Amino acid sequence: MQNTGTHRTAAPGTATSTPTHCPYCALQCGMNLTPVEGGTVEVSERADFPVNRGALCGKGRTAPELLAPGARLTSPLVRSDDGALVPAGWDEALDRIAGNLERTRARYGADALGVFGGGGLTNEKAYALGKFARVALGTSQIDYNGRFCMSSAAAAGTRAFGLDRGLPFPLEDIPRTGCVILVGSNPAETMPPSLRYFTELRENGGTLIVVDPRRTKTAEQADLHLAPRPGTDLALALGMLHLVVAEGRVDADYVEERTSGWEEARAAAMAHWPEYVERITGVSVPELREAVRLFCAPEAAMVLTARGPEQQSKGTDTVGAWINLCLATGRAGRPLSGYGCLTGQGNGQGGREHGQKADQLPGYRKLTDPAARRHVAEVWGVDPDSLPGPGRSAYELLDALGTDIRSLLVMGSNPVVSAPRAAHVEERLRSLDFLAVCDVVLSETAELADVVLPVTQWAEETGTTTSLEGRVLLRRRAITPPDGVRSDLEVLHGLAGRLGVEKGFPTEPEEVFEELRRASAGGPADYSGIGYRRLAEENGVFWPCPAPAADSADADAVPHPGSPRLFLDRFATDDGRARFVPVAHRPSAEEPDDEYPVLLTTGRVVAQYQSGAQTRRVAELNAAAPGPFVELHPRLAARLGAAEGDELAVVSRRGRAVAPARITTGIRPDTVFMPFHWPGAGRANTLTNPALDPTSRMPEFKVCAVRVETVAR
């Protein structure tokens, strides 16, 4: 599908331009928008925003393409008697959704209703969706696709530091540190404007170590590239910690003064001697020693993880091992040092802080904490005992569709493409009694729905997001949405009213945010000192940012400065100490065998984003990355008798995907790579393993056993 939008560069600072932020990744790059004829906008640089300093990737430049009427949904759609999706009025569509939800609840109980949210929803929409599930529906069955993003890092960070925030320091600290270990991240393609920070790091004399089974564009910039076998990042981190101990590089004073649990973690690491780790990972002992030397040489250093180590059935322990390395060397809670996670989705951070996750309430409060339930229930005006308990995690929720969960509301997600074991998830979605989807385009998931609601986009609505730095930002409305389109807040308001909840679901984003402030007050993610007026005047405010104790209404007049750097004085644990957690290497849930002898890992390409539902509709991006491919090493290609461009079938225990070969020496011979942005025959997530991390409930997207076959022309 093509479109007629525009992304011409406009003159910055014009009277009609609106300063706002990109709708895509968690950098939330600043940009200016100027309305033009045809109902769309022009993009111009916004050099005053410190994160991207005016730079934009192709996705950001072309983001206005989807605002064009021909590129997006502009009318509700309902399933007709003959099975087709046909246009309908809003009252008919909302009545149909509310009626089906009511009938399902009456017949099967509230937990037969499911809600699946998205990491791209604004804080206001994420907050309202969590409240809608628990108050208007009374269901515990709510989770969101952010569970697939950084839940392992969140679990490990909370376990070690008492608090999870993607980066506990701003990006501007990266060029000023001495060494960065970048584990399983490819920012050159996933968030290109951030690459400048790593380039500046090296220009300033620092070193960059990249851990990735592929020689990505980011790895090409590194001083040292370690290419472990997929699924062995945990052993790699433990081997490095072993060498830190053996070579006398432990910061004993720091460990004594600011941590607990060291002896147990030390003993666990010492069982992973370098030669043993080399056999597991394929990373040589000299490379291990060089990595330790580079990391320990400067006064300050960082470890940054992303989806590579996190999207594993042992992702929490894997991230925990890298945190242990930071703690043992005194590289956490000190200036220009620390562990951080590079969040992927645009509001993956804020999306889980305010109630979309199955076990959390606004402010990053635990749903099982009686005090948290009382506080939030008071803000909501309900009985704490009426709030349901924790529900299923994202994949478990999707797996229960059509059996325990009979009706589902999806808002801002496309699990037909993005979920692991995607063919099974698609089958589960088809088995539902009723499916409603809110989206800006007719995604692959929306195509299965009984009702599809067209909702406003980033440039057509005001709301806040929280970037990977923990920086709360204001995205401003620049243009009026087309007729026939409503905001997600209006959808929830309309549904709640039809379900008998007349109050508590306002449609104005600022009114929702004011309630969010009260609900988050005193919680780990405290936004109570942040207001729209302040956000309009500043380039974001870092949480936690509590309101003055005397009068929270005066928060904007007497503001807390925000918290750009966490843990410098103490960690967020009861005693202020960071926790070592002993971990040990264990195999992936699925190891290669004679039938499936090759490892598959998945990821992204620069011109597409997530499930591709939006970027695949942009002509320029589609031309740059028109379809899926299978990346493999020449030695594996030779064994298969495959040439560049030949069709290959990649087969796992869950299904089969077909895509052309892309042959490169930049990948391990025992591994193939597929990007996951496309549906259909080349859908990479048909193959991936839903084995879950026992703590974070993260599926094992990053490693599964496959065989590769040539496909006859």
Side-chain angles (χ1 to χ4, degrees):
M1 175 177 174
Q2 305 304 322
N3 57 73
T4 58
T6 180
H7 56 269
R8 297 188 303 275
T9 301
T14 60
T16 58
S17 67
T18 301
T20 189
H21 297 273
C22 178
Y24 287 112
C25 80
L27 285 181
Q28 287 296 282
C29 291
M31 58 171 60
N32 288 312
L33 300 181
T34 304
V36 296
E37 292 183 8
T40 185
V41 293
E42 291 178 339
V43 172
S44 64
E45 291 185 1
R46 184 181 163 195
D48 69 303
F49 187 62
V51 172
N52 62 309
R53 291 174 262 170
L56 292 169
C57 73
K59 295 185 289 290
R61 287 188 300 99
T62 60
E65 299 282 357
L66 283 178
L67 298 169
R72 47 94 66 84
L73 295 170
T74 55
S75 170
L77 303 173
V78 299
R79 189 73 61 182
S80 66
D81 292 340
D82 63 4
L85 282 172
V86 297
W90 271 94
D91 284 340
E92 178 187 352
L94 291 172
D95 287 345
R96 188 176 293 201
I97 295 173
N100 277 278
L101 296 178
E102 197 71 275
R103 283 190 289 275
T104 297
R105 183 166 60 181
R107 182 173 182 181
Y108 300 105
D111 273 359
L113 303 176
V115 177
F116 199 82
L121 300 180
T122 62
N123 290 319
E124 292 81 359
K125 292 190 282 190
Y127 172 85
L129 187 63
K131 181 180 179 181
F132 176 81
R134 297 179 174 104
V135 174
L137 299 180
T139 183
S140 66
Q141 301 304 306
I142 175 173
D143 212 87
Y144 83 129
N145 61 17
R147 176 78 67 171
F148 300 157
C149 178
M150 57 175 292
S151 57
S152 293
T158 300
R159 193 166 69 177
F161 306 133
L163 180 69
D164 155 51
R165 195 179 82 185
L167 291 180
F169 42 76
L171 286 162
E172 67 185 42
D173 284 1
I174 291 174
R176 299 160 54 210
T177 193
C179 178
V180 172
I181 302 180
L182 196 56
V183 188
S185 177
N186 182 18
E189 295 196 75
T190 59
M191 44 181 67
S194 72
L195 191 64
R196 68 169 60 188
Y197 292 101
F198 302 100
T199 302
E200 291 171 7
L201 165 74
R202 299 186 69 218
E203 290 172 349
N204 291 341
T207 55
L208 176 63
I209 302 170
V210 171
V211 179
D212 198 304
R214 304 168 61 223
R215 188 162 181 80
T216 63
K217 292 181 180 179
T218 304
E220 290 174 355
Q221 308 299 314
D223 298 281
L224 177 64
H225 172 213
L226 306 179
R229 182 174 176 266
T232 64
D233 316 79
L234 174 53
L236 182 68
L238 287 164
M240 290 183 65
L241 183 53
H242 178 110
L243 286 172
V244 164
V245 175
E247 295 175 359
R249 299 181 185 271
V250 175
D251 188 334
D253 290 341
Y254 174 91
V255 169
E256 174 67 24
E257 293 168 5
R258 300 204 59 189
T259 73
S260 63
W262 165 236
E263 288 304 322
E264 294 83 356
R266 176 187 179 279
M270 296 314 288
H272 298 77
W273 60 94
E275 292 77 12
Y276 172 58
V277 170
E278 181 181 62
R279 290 198 299 273
I280 294 171
T281 65
V283 176
S284 70
V285 173
E287 287 177 310
L288 279 173
R289 293 188 184 278
E290 178 65 1
V292 169
R293 185 189 69 80
L294 292 173
F295 183 64
C296 293
E299 292 184 6
M302 300 173 178
V303 172
L304 305 177
T305 66
R307 307 301 79 75
E310 297 162 22
Q311 288 180 328
Q312 299 184 30
S313 59
K314 52 182 182 291
T316 302
D317 284 354
T318 301
V319 173
W322 290 104
I323 291 175
N324 286 349
L325 179 66
C326 289
L327 294 176
T329 53
R331 307 307 176 91
R334 284 179 168 172
L336 306 181
S337 286
Y339 162 77
C341 166
L342 296 175
T343 310
Q345 294 189 81
N347 197 32
Q349 181 74 48
R352 72 179 182 282
E353 291 167 4
H354 298 299
Q356 281 192 102
K357 275 185 79 174
D359 58 347
Q360 286 178 192
L361 288 169
Y364 227 145
R365 288 182 160 92
K366 283 291 183 185
L367 192 53
T368 53
D369 178 0
R373 293 171 67 88
R374 285 194 301 272
H375 174 85
V376 174
E378 182 178 356
V379 174
W380 288 352
V382 300
D383 184 341
D385 293 338
S386 71
L387 297 178
R392 293 173 172 87
S393 70
Y395 178 76
E396 292 167 304
L397 188 157
L398 295 171
D399 190 41
L401 299 180
T403 53
D404 293 342
I405 299 173
R406 309 302 293 255
S407 293
L408 181 69
L409 172 65
V410 177
M411 189 170 281
S413 187
N414 188 18
V416 167
V417 180
S418 64
R421 197 185 174 195
H424 172 73
V425 169
E426 180 177 347
E427 177 187 312
R428 293 292 83 217
L429 285 160
R430 291 181 183 277
S431 73
L432 283 164
D433 294 349
F434 182 77
L435 172 63
V437 174
C438 303
D439 211 328
V440 300
V441 297
L442 192 65
S443 69
E444 287 71 25
T445 303
E447 288 176 353
L448 305 181
D450 298 285
V451 179
V452 183
L453 299 180
V455 291
T456 50
Q457 299 187 56
W458 58 290
E460 301 163 346
E461 60 185 13
T462 294
T464 62
T465 61
T466 305
S467 75
L468 78 171
E469 301 175 299
R471 188 193 298 254
V472 184
L473 302 162
L474 183 64
R475 282 206 315 222
R476 299 164 175 87
R477 173 170 166 165
I479 55 174
T480 302
D483 292 338
V485 173
R486 296 185 184 179
S487 74
D488 296 280
L489 295 180
E490 291 174 311
V491 169
L492 296 176
H493 173 85
L495 290 176
R498 285 167 170 80
L499 293 167
V501 183
E502 299 293 340
K503 296 182 179 180
F505 292 92
T507 60
E508 289 300 318
E510 186 169 7
E511 187 176 348
V512 178
F513 190 79
E514 287 301 304
E515 184 179 302
L516 181 157
R517 289 173 62 186
R518 299 197 305 275
S520 73
D526 191 335
Y527 283 33
S528 61
I530 306 171
Y532 269 34
R533 181 159 58 88
R534 180 175 179 183
L535 291 175
E537 296 169 352
E538 302 181 29
N539 273 322
V541 179
F542 293 86
W543 71 261
C545 183
D551 181 10
S552 62
D554 197 34
D556 284 344
V558 186
H560 182 283
S563 307
R565 294 172 181 85
L566 302 177
F567 313 138
L568 295 182
D569 299 318
R570 67 188 312 275
F571 294 95
T573 56
D574 291 342
D575 60 6
R577 291 173 173 266
R579 308 277 192 251
F580 280 99
V581 178
V583 295
H585 170 71
R586 60 183 185 272
S588 299
E590 191 173 81
E591 291 287 311
D593 56 20
D594 290 343
E595 187 175 2
Y596 301 98
V598 177
L599 290 169
L600 168 71
T601 192
T602 64
R604 286 169 49 187
V605 297
V606 67
Q608 300 288 356
Y609 182 72
Q610 303 300 77
S611 75
Q614 296 178 64
T615 50
R616 285 187 275 110
R617 289 167 165 81
V618 177
E620 179 180 325
L621 301 178
N622 240 16
F629 57 86
V630 181
E631 186 177 280
L632 72 164
H633 192 275
R635 294 206 319 245
L636 177 56
R639 289 203 300 272
L640 296 169
E644 181 78 13
D646 283 357
E647 290 289 298
L648 298 178
V650 183
V651 184
S652 78
R653 290 177 173 85
R654 288 152 297 281
R656 181 175 188 264
V658 178
R662 183 173 294 182
I663 301 172
T664 173
T665 58
I667 191 169
R668 292 174 55 95
D670 58 2
T671 301
V672 295
F673 166 83
M674 290 188 71
F676 59 79
H677 310 290
W678 289 274
R683 180 174 59 186
N685 277 322
T686 296
L687 308 169
T688 49
N689 192 351
L692 301 180
D693 180 287
T695 302
S696 68
R697 315 309 288 169
M698 168 76 86
E700 193 153 58
F701 287 99
K702 286 301 180 189
V703 51
C704 69
V706 299
R707 66 174 179 269
V708 185
E709 304 167 342
T710 56
V711 177
R713 292 183 179 85

